[in-house]
Amino acid sequence: MITKYRAYFKSEIKLPPYLGAIFQSILLEAINLELAQELHDGEHSLRPYHSAVYISKDNEYVWDLIALNENISDAFHSKLSSLFKDHYLRAFDTKIKYLDKYEFSKTSHAELFKKFYSSDFQENDRVSMKFITPTTIKTEGRYLHYPREDLILFSLLKKWDSFSDDIKLFDKDLYETISSSLLVSSIINLKSQFINVDQGKVSGFVGQVNFKIKAKTRQINQLINLLLEFSNYSGIGIKTAIGMGRVETISN
């Protein structure tokens, strides 16, 4: 099960655009200690949820909270009244007030797989991806500040296989094939931005990337479209639990 919650709030003062680390603290305080430790431990890029806070195009503060397995979905659902209530943000000496505006949706890895591997699926060779919060992928000891197709796909494959119980996707030969089949065709307003993390800063990129899918077979087209759709739930790259890697895709 994958569940996605979106809440809107306002602040008494102007806040920084990205507040993922602060809202992770709100999340961890709301759930029981054992589960909080489970969520806090482990590799940053493979925590079973995605949380990001940002300012929408309508100039509203948004908190997206997405659980990537059934256990975490149930835990979040049981604590909604604690999560989405007005909070005092000590770091800014201000209160935030939630608006009467919430969105909720749910799906599953199996449902996503069925959507893209059904006979009704129409092959799509162009997808646009908006990188809403700073996104970076760590490779060979350094953080990349630009979108690299193979690493985006590897990040998504790794996240999928980590949280899907029944359907596993990674295959070395298949990965090499899809990596050469996804190409950046153009970028729009791509720039570097910082996000505050653990008393420091990590930089990533935001903006829009338009992709071209040059798949030799229907199966490759299906898999790439599935992974790009999954990115809307999992995020891309590192530190997606504390605000990084929030993306939205648009099929063209």
Side-chain angles (χ1 to χ4, degrees), residues 17-66:
Y18 311 119
L19 296 165
I22 289 175
F23 277 70
Q24 188 197 37
S25 298
I26 293 173
L27 173 62
L28 296 179
E29 288 175 5
I31 59 182
N32 67 61
L33 290 177
E34 183 178 346
L35 182 58
Q37 190 63 44
E38 178 184 338
L39 295 184
H40 189 68
D41 291 342
E43 187 178 340
H44 263 297
S45 61
L46 292 177
R47 292 182 180 173
Y49 67 100
H50 178 26
S51 175
V53 180
Y54 55 93
I55 300 175
S56 73
K57 63 181 180 180
D58 298 321
N59 209 34
E60 294 177 314
Y61 290 100
V62 181
W63 183 12
D64 284 343
L65 180 62
I66 305 163

Side-chain angles (χ1 to χ4, degrees), residues 145-164:
H145 293 167
Y146 57 90
R148 213 176 92 180
E149 303 94 327
D150 60 331
L151 295 180
I152 287 173
L153 291 173
F154 185 79
S155 171
L156 293 170
L157 280 168
K158 195 173 180 182
K159 290 175 187 291
W160 176 286
D161 279 10
S162 294
F163 307 127
S164 173

Side-chain angles (χ1 to χ4, degrees), residues 23-222:
F23 277 70
Q24 188 197 37
S25 298
I26 293 173
L27 173 62
L28 296 179
E29 288 175 5
I31 59 182
N32 67 61
L33 290 177
E34 183 178 346
L35 182 58
Q37 190 63 44
E38 178 184 338
L39 295 184
H40 189 68
D41 291 342
E43 187 178 340
H44 263 297
S45 61
L46 292 177
R47 292 182 180 173
Y49 67 100
H50 178 26
S51 175
V53 180
Y54 55 93
I55 300 175
S56 73
K57 63 181 180 180
D58 298 321
N59 209 34
E60 294 177 314
Y61 290 100
V62 181
W63 183 12
D64 284 343
L65 180 62
I66 305 163
L68 297 171
N69 65 32
E70 189 164 0
N71 182 39
I72 304 303
S73 294
D74 291 343
F76 286 177
H77 193 76
S78 68
K79 296 296 183 180
L80 291 184
S81 60
S82 299
L83 288 171
F84 301 133
K85 70 175 183 180
D86 298 349
H87 284 95
Y88 171 70
L89 301 185
R90 188 176 296 106
F92 301 99
D93 189 25
T94 190
K95 288 183 179 180
I96 61 167
K97 181 177 179 59
Y98 283 92
L99 307 177
D100 188 19
K101 185 177 178 181
Y102 297 92
E103 299 172 20
F104 167 76
S105 62
K106 64 180 180 178
T107 185
S108 67
H109 293 84
E111 287 175 358
L112 288 173
F113 187 86
K114 182 178 179 180
K115 174 183 175 180
F116 288 93
Y117 279 85
S118 73
S119 58
D120 296 331
F121 171 70
Q122 300 292 320
E123 291 184 47
N124 179 42
D125 63 0
R126 294 187 183 275
V127 178
S128 296
M129 181 176 286
K130 293 182 179 180
F131 292 85
I132 298 170
T133 66
T135 302
T136 186
I137 300 175
K138 191 173 183 180
T139 180
E140 297 178 350
R142 63 190 183 99
Y143 298 110
L144 292 189
H145 293 167
Y146 57 90
R148 213 176 92 180
E149 303 94 327
D150 60 331
L151 295 180
I152 287 173
L153 291 173
F154 185 79
S155 171
L156 293 170
L157 280 168
K158 195 173 180 182
K159 290 175 187 291
W160 176 286
D161 279 10
S162 294
F163 307 127
S164 173
D165 291 330
D166 301 319
I167 302 171
K168 305 298 182 181
L169 298 177
F170 186 82
D171 174 85
K172 186 176 183 297
D173 292 336
L174 188 58
Y175 167 64
E176 291 177 355
T177 300
I178 64 173
S179 295
S180 62
S181 302
L182 182 67
L183 304 172
V184 172
S185 59
S186 62
I187 58 175
I188 301 173
N189 297 327
L190 197 71
K191 59 183 179 181
S192 295
Q193 283 194 355
F194 287 94
I195 188 168
N196 292 317
V197 174
D198 300 331
Q199 307 300 318
K201 292 183 177 182
V202 177
S203 63
F205 59 87
V206 295
Q208 180 171 319
V209 177
N210 299 322
F211 292 105
K212 170 74 173 177
I213 303 172
K214 299 185 68 174
K216 294 181 178 179
T217 67
R218 177 178 171 83
Q219 180 191 22
I220 298 303
N221 187 280
Q222 289 169 309

